[in-house]
Amino acid sequence: WELDPSVSCDYCFVKGVLKQFRQGGASEAEDLKRLLFCLRKGPLVGDQTGDWLDAYKERFTGDVVDFLEYQLRVEHDKMEAGFLLDVANTLLLFERLNECALVGKCQVLVKAGKNSLALEVYDSFCKLYSKSYGEAFMLSFPKLLKHKL
């Protein structure tokens, strides 16, 4: 089935951008902005569960995480700080303990002179990490700031 071209569907748009990415295509800046707008609404179908749905949500989330991590690791030199921060925040919506997002977010905040805010973000991440894994996060704040994305 296909939607009428006059109908806009965020899900179809996101899937299209992710498919283009998997096939090695580049995304336009406007597509990336719209993608982040769509993804900032949170994970696919929220708290809904079901055997058939869980596997699908996991694949979708995995595709989103891969795409956003790629943007942070590879495309970060081409992005302005505010957009990098949006990418990192969106990635953290889908994977709260994503180290790539933490590194990107803290580095952007420090470059913007928001050292205290960066440290608060780092401390919150470390507490959640410790609670989730029962061990301390391996990177100190100074090392994290020097860490390559």
Side-chain angles (χ1 to χ4, degrees):
W1 63 271
E2 288 187 30
L3 288 175
D4 183 289
S6 66
V7 175
S8 176
C9 174
D10 290 345
Y11 171 76
C12 293
F13 172 76
V14 170
K15 287 295 287 181
V17 172
L18 295 176
K19 180 179 179 183
Q20 180 182 356
F21 168 71
R22 281 192 312 274
Q23 294 173 345
S27 299
E28 299 294 324
E30 287 305 311
D31 286 346
L32 293 176
K33 288 178 184 176
R34 181 174 171 204
L35 178 78
L36 288 180
F37 176 79
C38 294
L39 293 175
R40 270 182 269 171
K41 296 174 185 173
L44 185 64
V45 294
D47 294 334
Q48 299 297 314
T49 60
D51 291 339
W52 67 274
L53 185 59
D54 290 344
Y56 187 77
K57 284 172 55 174
E58 287 171 16
R59 276 193 308 275
F60 181 82
T61 298
D63 288 347
V64 167
V65 168
D66 290 345
F67 178 82
L68 294 174
E69 282 183 345
Y70 176 84
Q71 297 303 312
L72 284 174
R73 287 191 170 122
V74 177
E75 302 291 333
H76 67 274
D77 290 336
K78 301 174 188 171
M79 295 181 200
E80 60 184 52
F83 192 73
L84 268 172
L85 196 56
D86 285 346
V87 171
N89 284 332
T90 304
L91 182 50
L92 289 167
L93 281 175
F94 283 83
E95 192 175 51
R96 294 180 356 184
L97 291 173
N98 188 287
E99 293 173 28
C100 180
L102 174 68
V103 170
K105 184 172 184 172
C106 288
Q107 287 178 355
V108 167
L109 290 171
V110 167
K111 283 180 186 174
K114 298 179 180 180
N115 297 1
S116 296
L117 183 55
L119 187 56
E120 286 178 31
V121 168
Y122 173 80
D123 287 342
S124 294
F125 183 94
C126 289
K127 286 176 188 170
L128 181 59
Y129 188 95
S130 178
K131 184 178 177 184
S132 298
Y133 296 117
E135 59 186 52
F137 182 60
M138 63 194 148
L139 282 176
S140 67
F141 186 67
K143 286 183 181 178
L144 178 117
L145 295 178
K146 294 177 184 172
H147 198 270
K148 186 173 178 357
L149 277 170

